Amino acid sequence: MAPQIEQLVGVINARLREIDPPLLPQAPPRTVPITVSRGRSYDSLFTEAMALKRAKKFAEAEPLFQAAIEAHEAEVYAHTGPVLASDNYMQLAIVQRALGDADGEVRTLERYIGQVENPWMRDRFQERLDRLRKKMGQQSAATVTRRGEWAT
Protein backbone atom coordinates (compact mmCIF):
# COMPACT_ATOMS: atom_id res chain seq x y z
CA MET A 1 0.00 0.00 0.00
CA ALA A 2 2.81 2.42 0.82
CA PRO A 3 4.27 2.46 -2.74
CA GLN A 4 0.82 3.31 -4.10
CA ILE A 5 0.51 6.23 -1.69
CA GLU A 6 3.98 7.49 -2.59
CA GLN A 7 3.10 7.28 -6.28
CA LEU A 8 -0.16 9.15 -5.71
CA VAL A 9 1.60 11.86 -3.72
CA GLY A 10 4.14 12.21 -6.53
CA VAL A 11 1.38 12.64 -9.12
CA ILE A 12 -0.43 15.21 -6.97
CA ASN A 13 2.77 17.20 -6.37
CA ALA A 14 3.58 17.15 -10.10
CA ARG A 15 0.11 18.48 -10.94
CA LEU A 16 0.34 21.17 -8.26
CA ARG A 17 3.64 22.37 -9.75
CA GLU A 18 1.96 22.75 -13.14
CA ILE A 19 -0.61 25.21 -11.78
CA ASP A 20 0.13 28.86 -12.48
CA PRO A 21 0.76 30.49 -10.02
CA PRO A 22 2.30 27.53 -8.25
CA LEU A 23 0.59 26.35 -5.08
CA LEU A 24 3.70 24.70 -3.73
CA PRO A 25 6.47 27.04 -2.61
CA GLN A 26 9.59 26.83 -4.68
CA ALA A 27 12.91 26.97 -2.89
CA PRO A 28 14.91 30.01 -3.93
CA PRO A 29 18.19 29.28 -5.65
CA ARG A 30 21.06 29.13 -3.19
CA THR A 31 23.18 32.24 -3.56
CA VAL A 32 25.19 31.76 -0.37
CA PRO A 33 28.04 29.28 -0.60
CA ILE A 34 28.06 26.47 1.95
CA THR A 35 30.79 27.03 4.50
CA VAL A 36 33.34 24.27 4.63
CA SER A 37 35.64 22.99 7.31
CA ARG A 38 38.41 20.57 6.53
CA GLY A 39 37.37 20.94 2.89
CA ARG A 40 33.87 19.59 3.58
CA SER A 41 30.43 21.05 4.22
CA TYR A 42 29.08 20.97 7.75
CA ASP A 43 26.31 18.63 6.60
CA SER A 44 28.78 15.99 5.46
CA LEU A 45 30.83 16.41 8.64
CA PHE A 46 27.69 16.01 10.77
CA THR A 47 26.57 12.94 8.80
CA GLU A 48 29.94 11.24 9.22
CA ALA A 49 30.07 12.17 12.91
CA MET A 50 26.60 10.66 13.44
CA ALA A 51 27.72 7.43 11.74
CA LEU A 52 30.77 7.25 14.00
CA LYS A 53 28.60 7.96 17.05
CA ARG A 54 26.21 5.14 16.09
CA ALA A 55 29.24 2.86 15.75
CA LYS A 56 30.27 3.96 19.26
CA LYS A 57 33.50 5.52 17.96
CA PHE A 58 33.04 8.55 20.18
CA ALA A 59 36.65 9.75 20.19
CA GLU A 60 36.61 9.93 16.37
CA ALA A 61 33.17 11.56 16.27
CA GLU A 62 33.94 14.40 18.70
CA PRO A 63 36.32 16.44 16.47
CA LEU A 64 33.96 16.03 13.50
CA PHE A 65 31.04 17.37 15.54
CA GLN A 66 33.20 20.32 16.62
CA ALA A 67 34.24 21.02 13.02
CA ALA A 68 30.60 20.78 11.89
CA ILE A 69 29.55 23.26 14.57
CA GLU A 70 32.31 25.71 13.68
CA ALA A 71 31.49 25.56 9.96
CA HIS A 72 27.76 25.91 10.63
CA GLU A 73 28.30 28.87 12.97
CA ALA A 74 30.49 30.57 10.38
CA GLU A 75 27.80 30.29 7.73
CA VAL A 76 24.95 31.26 10.03
CA TYR A 77 26.65 34.33 11.43
CA ALA A 78 27.96 35.42 8.04
CA HIS A 79 24.62 35.28 6.27
CA THR A 80 21.52 34.89 8.42
CA GLY A 81 22.14 35.75 12.04
CA PRO A 82 21.99 33.49 15.07
CA VAL A 83 19.68 30.66 14.02
CA LEU A 84 21.66 27.57 14.95
CA ALA A 85 20.93 23.89 14.48
CA SER A 86 20.62 22.47 17.97
CA ASP A 87 21.29 18.89 16.83
CA ASN A 88 24.97 19.62 16.27
CA TYR A 89 25.43 20.78 19.85
CA MET A 90 23.23 18.14 21.46
CA GLN A 91 24.96 15.29 19.62
CA LEU A 92 28.38 16.64 20.60
CA ALA A 93 27.23 16.85 24.23
CA ILE A 94 26.02 13.24 24.05
CA VAL A 95 29.37 12.10 22.63
CA GLN A 96 31.26 14.02 25.32
CA ARG A 97 29.11 12.37 28.00
CA ALA A 98 29.87 8.95 26.50
CA LEU A 99 33.58 9.79 26.62
CA GLY A 100 33.25 10.85 30.28
CA ASP A 101 34.14 14.44 29.40
CA ALA A 102 31.72 16.30 31.67
CA ASP A 103 33.68 19.56 31.37
CA GLY A 104 33.49 19.36 27.57
CA GLU A 105 29.77 18.68 27.78
CA VAL A 106 29.34 21.77 29.99
CA ARG A 107 31.32 23.90 27.50
CA THR A 108 29.24 22.66 24.57
CA LEU A 109 25.92 23.32 26.31
CA GLU A 110 27.09 26.77 27.47
CA ARG A 111 28.27 27.62 23.97
CA TYR A 112 24.82 26.89 22.52
CA ILE A 113 22.95 28.64 25.33
CA GLY A 114 25.09 31.74 24.82
CA GLN A 115 24.08 32.06 21.17
CA VAL A 116 20.54 30.81 20.78
CA GLU A 117 17.60 33.21 20.72
CA ASN A 118 14.78 30.65 20.88
CA PRO A 119 13.72 30.56 24.56
CA TRP A 120 12.33 27.03 24.33
CA MET A 121 15.63 25.64 23.00
CA ARG A 122 17.66 27.71 25.43
CA ASP A 123 15.55 26.36 28.32
CA ARG A 124 15.92 22.79 27.05
CA PHE A 125 19.70 23.07 26.98
CA GLN A 126 19.75 24.96 30.28
CA GLU A 127 17.81 22.15 31.97
CA ARG A 128 20.32 19.60 30.71
CA LEU A 129 23.18 21.82 31.85
CA ASP A 130 21.63 22.30 35.30
CA ARG A 131 21.14 18.53 35.70
CA LEU A 132 24.74 17.94 34.68
CA ARG A 133 26.07 20.58 37.06
CA LYS A 134 23.96 19.16 39.89
CA LYS A 135 25.40 15.74 39.15
CA MET A 136 28.90 17.26 39.13
CA GLY A 137 28.19 19.18 42.34
CA GLN A 138 28.55 22.63 40.75
CA GLN A 139 26.34 25.66 40.95
CA SER A 140 24.73 26.99 37.79
CA ALA A 141 27.04 29.75 36.61
CA ALA A 142 26.13 32.78 34.53
CA THR A 143 29.32 32.52 32.49
CA VAL A 144 28.79 31.37 28.95
CA THR A 145 31.20 30.21 26.29
CA ARG A 146 30.73 32.31 23.17
CA ARG A 147 30.95 31.33 19.54
CA GLY A 148 34.39 30.29 18.39
CA GLU A 149 35.65 29.24 21.81
CA TRP A 150 36.35 25.67 22.83
CA ALA A 151 37.78 26.69 26.18
CA THR A 152 39.55 24.00 28.17
Side-chain angles (χ1 to χ4, degrees):
M1 185 73 176
Q4 293 171 337
I5 292 173
E6 290 176 17
Q7 183 181 11
L8 182 60
V9 168
V11 169
I12 291 170
N13 284 337
R15 296 259 170 93
L16 288 174
R17 285 190 187 93
E18 293 171 1
I19 297 172
D20 190 33
L23 296 177
L24 293 179
Q26 302 295 320
R30 186 173 181 86
T31 57
V32 177
I34 293 178
T35 304
V36 295
S37 177
R38 301 179 186 193
R40 298 170 53 197
S41 72
Y42 61 83
D43 288 335
S44 68
L45 289 165
F46 182 74
T47 301
E48 183 178 345
M50 284 298 295
L52 290 168
K53 178 185 166 247
R54 287 186 197 104
K56 302 206 182 302
K57 296 180 179 180
F58 301 117
E60 295 173 38
E62 184 179 24
L64 291 178
F65 277 121
Q66 289 178 344
I69 287 171
E70 290 167 0
H72 180 65
E73 286 176 352
E75 180 170 326
V76 165
Y77 279 90
H79 305 293
T80 63
V83 180
L84 301 170
S86 63
D87 285 350
N88 297 334
Y89 298 86
M90 187 60 76
Q91 294 302 320
L92 177 57
I94 290 168
V95 165
Q96 289 167 325
R97 178 173 288 183
L99 290 171
D101 183 8
D103 292 333
E105 185 179 356
V106 167
R107 285 191 306 273
T108 298
L109 295 171
E110 286 179 339
R111 182 175 175 151
Y112 182 77
I113 291 166
Q115 299 175 78
V116 72
E117 293 180 354
N118 180 330
W120 182 83
M121 291 305 295
R122 186 175 34 248
D123 292 347
R124 180 175 167 226
F125 275 72
Q126 188 64 53
E127 287 171 9
R128 182 182 174 114
L129 179 59
D130 290 343
R131 285 192 310 266
L132 176 61
R133 283 194 170 131
K134 184 177 180 182
K135 184 177 177 182
M136 293 172 62
Q138 296 179 4
Q139 294 294 321
S140 180
T143 60
V144 181
T145 304
R146 295 290 177 188
R147 179 175 71 89
E149 299 175 10
W150 292 106
T152 57

PDB file of all heavy atoms in Angstrom, residues 106-123:
ATOM      1  N   VAL A 106      29.748  20.469  29.436  1.00  0.00           N
ATOM      2  CA  VAL A 106      29.336  21.773  29.985  1.00  0.00           C
ATOM      3  C   VAL A 106      29.680  22.882  29.001  1.00  0.00           C
ATOM      4  O   VAL A 106      28.859  23.753  28.708  1.00  0.00           O
ATOM      5  CB  VAL A 106      29.990  22.034  31.363  1.00  0.00           C
ATOM      6  CG1 VAL A 106      29.841  23.489  31.786  1.00  0.00           C
ATOM      7  CG2 VAL A 106      29.404  21.113  32.408  1.00  0.00           C
ATOM      8  N   ARG A 107      30.902  22.859  28.449  1.00  0.00           N
ATOM      9  CA  ARG A 107      31.323  23.899  27.502  1.00  0.00           C
ATOM     10  C   ARG A 107      30.429  23.918  26.264  1.00  0.00           C
ATOM     11  O   ARG A 107      30.050  24.985  25.782  1.00  0.00           O
ATOM     12  CB  ARG A 107      32.782  23.694  27.093  1.00  0.00           C
ATOM     13  CG  ARG A 107      33.785  24.094  28.147  1.00  0.00           C
ATOM     14  CD  ARG A 107      35.211  24.117  27.612  1.00  0.00           C
ATOM     15  NE  ARG A 107      35.618  22.865  26.978  1.00  0.00           N
ATOM     16  CZ  ARG A 107      36.141  21.831  27.612  1.00  0.00           C
ATOM     17  NH1 ARG A 107      36.318  21.876  28.915  1.00  0.00           N
ATOM     18  NH2 ARG A 107      36.513  20.750  26.952  1.00  0.00           N
ATOM     19  N   THR A 108      30.091  22.740  25.758  1.00  0.00           N
ATOM     20  CA  THR A 108      29.242  22.660  24.565  1.00  0.00           C
ATOM     21  C   THR A 108      27.857  23.227  24.844  1.00  0.00           C
ATOM     22  O   THR A 108      27.325  24.016  24.062  1.00  0.00           O
ATOM     23  CB  THR A 108      29.139  21.204  24.080  1.00  0.00           C
ATOM     24  OG1 THR A 108      30.454  20.759  23.730  1.00  0.00           O
ATOM     25  CG2 THR A 108      28.218  21.082  22.880  1.00  0.00           C
ATOM     26  N   LEU A 109      27.254  22.827  25.961  1.00  0.00           N
ATOM     27  CA  LEU A 109      25.924  23.320  26.313  1.00  0.00           C
ATOM     28  C   LEU A 109      25.949  24.830  26.539  1.00  0.00           C
ATOM     29  O   LEU A 109      25.058  25.551  26.084  1.00  0.00           O
ATOM     30  CB  LEU A 109      25.396  22.586  27.545  1.00  0.00           C
ATOM     31  CG  LEU A 109      25.153  21.086  27.359  1.00  0.00           C
ATOM     32  CD1 LEU A 109      24.846  20.422  28.697  1.00  0.00           C
ATOM     33  CD2 LEU A 109      24.067  20.814  26.347  1.00  0.00           C
ATOM     34  N   GLU A 110      26.973  25.325  27.233  1.00  0.00           N
ATOM     35  CA  GLU A 110      27.087  26.770  27.472  1.00  0.00           C
ATOM     36  C   GLU A 110      27.259  27.526  26.163  1.00  0.00           C
ATOM     37  O   GLU A 110      26.711  28.618  25.997  1.00  0.00           O
ATOM     38  CB  GLU A 110      28.273  27.061  28.392  1.00  0.00           C
ATOM     39  CG  GLU A 110      28.037  26.688  29.829  1.00  0.00           C
ATOM     40  CD  GLU A 110      29.239  26.961  30.709  1.00  0.00           C
ATOM     41  OE1 GLU A 110      30.382  27.053  30.183  1.00  0.00           O
ATOM     42  OE2 GLU A 110      29.047  27.080  31.925  1.00  0.00           O
ATOM     43  N   ARG A 111      28.035  26.960  25.257  1.00  0.00           N
ATOM     44  CA  ARG A 111      28.271  27.620  23.967  1.00  0.00           C
ATOM     45  C   ARG A 111      26.956  27.812  23.219  1.00  0.00           C
ATOM     46  O   ARG A 111      26.691  28.865  22.657  1.00  0.00           O
ATOM     47  CB  ARG A 111      29.242  26.781  23.148  1.00  0.00           C
ATOM     48  CG  ARG A 111      29.602  27.372  21.804  1.00  0.00           C
ATOM     49  CD  ARG A 111      30.662  26.532  21.136  1.00  0.00           C
ATOM     50  NE  ARG A 111      30.949  27.008  19.790  1.00  0.00           N
ATOM     51  CZ  ARG A 111      32.125  26.876  19.206  1.00  0.00           C
ATOM     52  NH1 ARG A 111      33.110  26.306  19.842  1.00  0.00           N
ATOM     53  NH2 ARG A 111      32.307  27.329  17.988  1.00  0.00           N
ATOM     54  N   TYR A 112      26.109  26.774  23.204  1.00  0.00           N
ATOM     55  CA  TYR A 112      24.821  26.887  22.517  1.00  0.00           C
ATOM     56  C   TYR A 112      23.910  27.874  23.242  1.00  0.00           C
ATOM     57  O   TYR A 112      23.302  28.745  22.614  1.00  0.00           O
ATOM     58  CB  TYR A 112      24.151  25.515  22.407  1.00  0.00           C
ATOM     59  CG  TYR A 112      22.839  25.581  21.660  1.00  0.00           C
ATOM     60  CD1 TYR A 112      22.823  25.676  20.277  1.00  0.00           C
ATOM     61  CD2 TYR A 112      21.627  25.586  22.333  1.00  0.00           C
ATOM     62  CE1 TYR A 112      21.633  25.755  19.577  1.00  0.00           C
ATOM     63  CE2 TYR A 112      20.437  25.658  21.640  1.00  0.00           C
ATOM     64  CZ  TYR A 112      20.440  25.750  20.271  1.00  0.00           C
ATOM     65  OH  TYR A 112      19.261  25.845  19.589  1.00  0.00           O
ATOM     66  N   ILE A 113      23.821  27.765  24.546  1.00  0.00           N
ATOM     67  CA  ILE A 113      22.946  28.637  25.330  1.00  0.00           C
ATOM     68  C   ILE A 113      23.327  30.100  25.122  1.00  0.00           C
ATOM     69  O   ILE A 113      22.466  30.971  25.047  1.00  0.00           O
ATOM     70  CB  ILE A 113      22.999  28.261  26.830  1.00  0.00           C
ATOM     71  CG1 ILE A 113      22.331  26.895  27.044  1.00  0.00           C
ATOM     72  CG2 ILE A 113      22.331  29.329  27.689  1.00  0.00           C
ATOM     73  CD1 ILE A 113      22.610  26.281  28.405  1.00  0.00           C
ATOM     74  N   GLY A 114      24.618  30.371  24.999  1.00  0.00           N
ATOM     75  CA  GLY A 114      25.092  31.736  24.823  1.00  0.00           C
ATOM     76  C   GLY A 114      24.762  32.351  23.472  1.00  0.00           C
ATOM     77  O   GLY A 114      24.892  33.562  23.303  1.00  0.00           O
ATOM     78  N   GLN A 115      24.323  31.539  22.516  1.00  0.00           N
ATOM     79  CA  GLN A 115      24.081  32.056  21.171  1.00  0.00           C
ATOM     80  C   GLN A 115      22.631  31.977  20.723  1.00  0.00           C
ATOM     81  O   GLN A 115      22.219  32.725  19.850  1.00  0.00           O
ATOM     82  CB  GLN A 115      24.910  31.247  20.167  1.00  0.00           C
ATOM     83  CG  GLN A 115      26.388  31.339  20.415  1.00  0.00           C
ATOM     84  CD  GLN A 115      27.124  30.439  19.467  1.00  0.00           C
ATOM     85  OE1 GLN A 115      27.290  30.780  18.312  1.00  0.00           O
ATOM     86  NE2 GLN A 115      27.568  29.298  19.936  1.00  0.00           N
ATOM     87  N   VAL A 116      21.880  31.077  21.290  1.00  0.00           N
ATOM     88  CA  VAL A 116      20.536  30.812  20.780  1.00  0.00           C
ATOM     89  C   VAL A 116      19.543  31.866  21.261  1.00  0.00           C
ATOM     90  O   VAL A 116      19.643  32.362  22.368  1.00  0.00           O
ATOM     91  CB  VAL A 116      20.075  29.385  21.182  1.00  0.00           C
ATOM     92  CG1 VAL A 116      19.774  29.298  22.651  1.00  0.00           C
ATOM     93  CG2 VAL A 116      18.870  28.970  20.384  1.00  0.00           C
ATOM     94  N   GLU A 117      18.627  32.221  20.375  1.00  0.00           N
ATOM     95  CA  GLU A 117      17.605  33.207  20.717  1.00  0.00           C
ATOM     96  C   GLU A 117      16.269  32.561  21.076  1.00  0.00           C
ATOM     97  O   GLU A 117      15.450  33.172  21.740  1.00  0.00           O
ATOM     98  CB  GLU A 117      17.401  34.172  19.551  1.00  0.00           C
ATOM     99  CG  GLU A 117      18.603  35.048  19.307  1.00  0.00           C
ATOM    100  CD  GLU A 117      18.404  36.004  18.147  1.00  0.00           C
ATOM    101  OE1 GLU A 117      17.368  35.905  17.448  1.00  0.00           O
ATOM    102  OE2 GLU A 117      19.284  36.839  17.940  1.00  0.00           O
ATOM    103  N   ASN A 118      16.037  31.334  20.620  1.00  0.00           N
ATOM    104  CA  ASN A 118      14.782  30.650  20.878  1.00  0.00           C
ATOM    105  C   ASN A 118      14.711  30.267  22.358  1.00  0.00           C
ATOM    106  O   ASN A 118      15.495  29.444  22.826  1.00  0.00           O
ATOM    107  CB  ASN A 118      14.699  29.395  20.002  1.00  0.00           C
ATOM    108  CG  ASN A 118      13.427  28.609  20.187  1.00  0.00           C
ATOM    109  OD1 ASN A 118      12.828  28.598  21.254  1.00  0.00           O
ATOM    110  ND2 ASN A 118      13.028  27.921  19.141  1.00  0.00           N
ATOM    111  N   PRO A 119      13.762  30.844  23.122  1.00  0.00           N
ATOM    112  CA  PRO A 119      13.718  30.565  24.561  1.00  0.00           C
ATOM    113  C   PRO A 119      13.438  29.098  24.883  1.00  0.00           C
ATOM    114  O   PRO A 119      13.973  28.568  25.844  1.00  0.00           O
ATOM    115  CB  PRO A 119      12.606  31.470  25.086  1.00  0.00           C
ATOM    116  CG  PRO A 119      11.895  31.988  23.910  1.00  0.00           C
ATOM    117  CD  PRO A 119      12.745  31.794  22.706  1.00  0.00           C
ATOM    118  N   TRP A 120      12.616  28.431  24.046  1.00  0.00           N
ATOM    119  CA  TRP A 120      12.326  27.030  24.327  1.00  0.00           C
ATOM    120  C   TRP A 120      13.593  26.191  24.211  1.00  0.00           C
ATOM    121  O   TRP A 120      13.862  25.341  25.061  1.00  0.00           O
ATOM    122  CB  TRP A 120      11.254  26.511  23.357  1.00  0.00           C
ATOM    123  CG  TRP A 120      10.880  25.090  23.638  1.00  0.00           C
ATOM    124  CD1 TRP A 120       9.980  24.661  24.561  1.00  0.00           C
ATOM    125  CD2 TRP A 120      11.412  23.923  23.016  1.00  0.00           C
ATOM    126  NE1 TRP A 120       9.909  23.294  24.546  1.00  0.00           N
ATOM    127  CE2 TRP A 120      10.780  22.805  23.597  1.00  0.00           C
ATOM    128  CE3 TRP A 120      12.357  23.698  22.021  1.00  0.00           C
ATOM    129  CZ2 TRP A 120      11.057  21.500  23.226  1.00  0.00           C
ATOM    130  CZ3 TRP A 120      12.632  22.395  21.649  1.00  0.00           C
ATOM    131  CH2 TRP A 120      11.997  21.315  22.249  1.00  0.00           C
ATOM    132  N   MET A 121      14.395  26.416  23.170  1.00  0.00           N
ATOM    133  CA  MET A 121      15.631  25.644  22.996  1.00  0.00           C
ATOM    134  C   MET A 121      16.651  26.013  24.067  1.00  0.00           C
ATOM    135  O   MET A 121      17.345  25.143  24.595  1.00  0.00           O
ATOM    136  CB  MET A 121      16.214  25.868  21.603  1.00  0.00           C
ATOM    137  CG  MET A 121      15.396  25.269  20.493  1.00  0.00           C
ATOM    138  SD  MET A 121      15.066  23.499  20.691  1.00  0.00           S
ATOM    139  CE  MET A 121      16.699  22.812  20.578  1.00  0.00           C
ATOM    140  N   ARG A 122      16.734  27.286  24.384  1.00  0.00           N
ATOM    141  CA  ARG A 122      17.661  27.711  25.430  1.00  0.00           C
ATOM    142  C   ARG A 122      17.299  27.030  26.753  1.00  0.00           C
ATOM    143  O   ARG A 122      18.165  26.512  27.452  1.00  0.00           O
ATOM    144  CB  ARG A 122      17.637  29.234  25.571  1.00  0.00           C
ATOM    145  CG  ARG A 122      18.670  29.757  26.540  1.00  0.00           C
ATOM    146  CD  ARG A 122      18.766  31.276  26.628  1.00  0.00           C
ATOM    147  NE  ARG A 122      17.520  31.973  26.459  1.00  0.00           N
ATOM    148  CZ  ARG A 122      17.215  32.755  25.418  1.00  0.00           C
ATOM    149  NH1 ARG A 122      18.083  32.921  24.451  1.00  0.00           N
ATOM    150  NH2 ARG A 122      16.061  33.371  25.352  1.00  0.00           N
ATOM    151  N   ASP A 123      15.999  26.990  27.075  1.00  0.00           N
ATOM    152  CA  ASP A 123      15.554  26.358  28.319  1.00  0.00           C
ATOM    153  C   ASP A 123      15.848  24.861  28.318  1.00  0.00           C
ATOM    154  O   ASP A 123      16.247  24.297  29.333  1.00  0.00           O
ATOM    155  CB  ASP A 123      14.060  26.597  28.547  1.00  0.00           C
ATOM    156  CG  ASP A 123      13.737  28.051  28.834  1.00  0.00           C
ATOM    157  OD1 ASP A 123      14.675  28.833  29.101  1.00  0.00           O
ATOM    158  OD2 ASP A 123      12.543  28.411  28.780  1.00  0.00           O
TER     159      ASP A 123
END
